[in-house]
Amino acid sequence: MWIKFLLSGLIIGFCIFLGYLAAGKFRARFKFYSQFSAFNERYLTELCYSRKPLSEFIEDYTYDGDFAKGLQGVSEDRGQKRPKPNYLTKEEWKEYGDYFSMLGKGDTVSQKNYFSSRKAILEEKKAVCEKECKTRNELYIKLGLLAGLAFVILIV
């Protein structure tokens, strides 16, 4: 009897874990846009006040995940070889490339105008990704729970 309960708990836990893994794409997307938005804010501040060289500015802050890989590509080869995350659409990937192709080019006023216009877009994408991450994460965990319960009912 205890073995059945233990086995049932392990099956349900495993299915919930699979649901958590399935929602990883949405968590990674939210993390990416959170870091992207924070980078844009810092860069705008940098343009207005400090005006450090781009390579020093990138090294001052630590990022992780796919956004950090993209920044490393920008600092090494001016953005020619950025790894493409699988959760970005073609349009978002193009916007991402356009953003980094404008980084450090032109005078301060034109850069400030361009990156200020990107600020609202990035904040909107961050908010949408946060909402989608929350709902999809809950959905996939609940689906994992239901699949685990159904599996336990069928097997045990």
Side-chain angles (χ1 to χ4, degrees), residues 24-40 63-71 82-89 91-97 99-100 118 122 125-127 129-130 133:
K25 170 183 172 181
F26 300 101
R27 286 189 305 277
R29 183 177 167 84
F30 171 62
K31 183 178 179 183
F32 178 84
Y33 274 109
S34 295
Q35 291 183 6
F36 199 178
S37 179
F39 178 83
N40 189 55
Y63 299 96
D64 56 349
D66 292 324
F67 189 76
K69 291 176 189 173
L71 275 181
R82 288 183 304 276
K84 182 182 181 212
N86 61 354
Y87 47 80
L88 291 180
T89 63
E91 293 82 25
E92 290 170 338
W93 180 246
K94 185 179 181 309
E95 290 174 9
Y96 177 70
Y99 180 91
F100 282 109
R118 303 300 303 168
L122 289 173
K125 284 199 183 269
K126 178 183 164 187
C129 288
E130 181 178 20
C133 173

Side-chain angles (χ1 to χ4, degrees), residues 119-135:
K119 179 181 175 181
I121 295 169
L122 289 173
E123 288 295 324
E124 179 184 340
K125 284 199 183 269
K126 178 183 164 187
V128 167
C129 288
E130 181 178 20
K131 182 180 176 185
E132 186 176 29
C133 173
K134 183 180 177 188
T135 58

Side-chain angles (χ1 to χ4, degrees), residues 1-12 152 155-156:
M1 173 105 161
W2 289 104
I3 294 176
K4 285 184 181 181
F5 285 129
L6 179 64
L7 185 61
S8 299
L10 288 175
I11 290 172
I12 291 171
V152 165
I155 299 299
V156 177

Side-chain angles (χ1 to χ4, degrees), residues 26-91:
F26 300 101
R27 286 189 305 277
R29 183 177 167 84
F30 171 62
K31 183 178 179 183
F32 178 84
Y33 274 109
S34 295
Q35 291 183 6
F36 199 178
S37 179
F39 178 83
N40 189 55
E41 287 288 326
R42 290 182 184 125
Y43 191 67
L44 277 172
T45 305
E46 190 70 29
L47 277 174
C48 294
Y49 300 110
S50 302
R51 297 184 183 169
K52 292 180 192 174
L54 186 60
S55 58
E56 287 180 26
F57 172 72
I58 290 174
E59 292 172 1
D60 282 348
Y61 299 101
T62 57
Y63 299 96
D64 56 349
D66 292 324
F67 189 76
K69 291 176 189 173
L71 275 181
Q72 183 181 11
V74 167
S75 63
E76 290 175 357
D77 59 7
R78 294 298 299 145
Q80 298 302 318
K81 298 178 184 176
R82 288 183 304 276
K84 182 182 181 212
N86 61 354
Y87 47 80
L88 291 180
T89 63
K90 288 182 181 180
E91 293 82 25

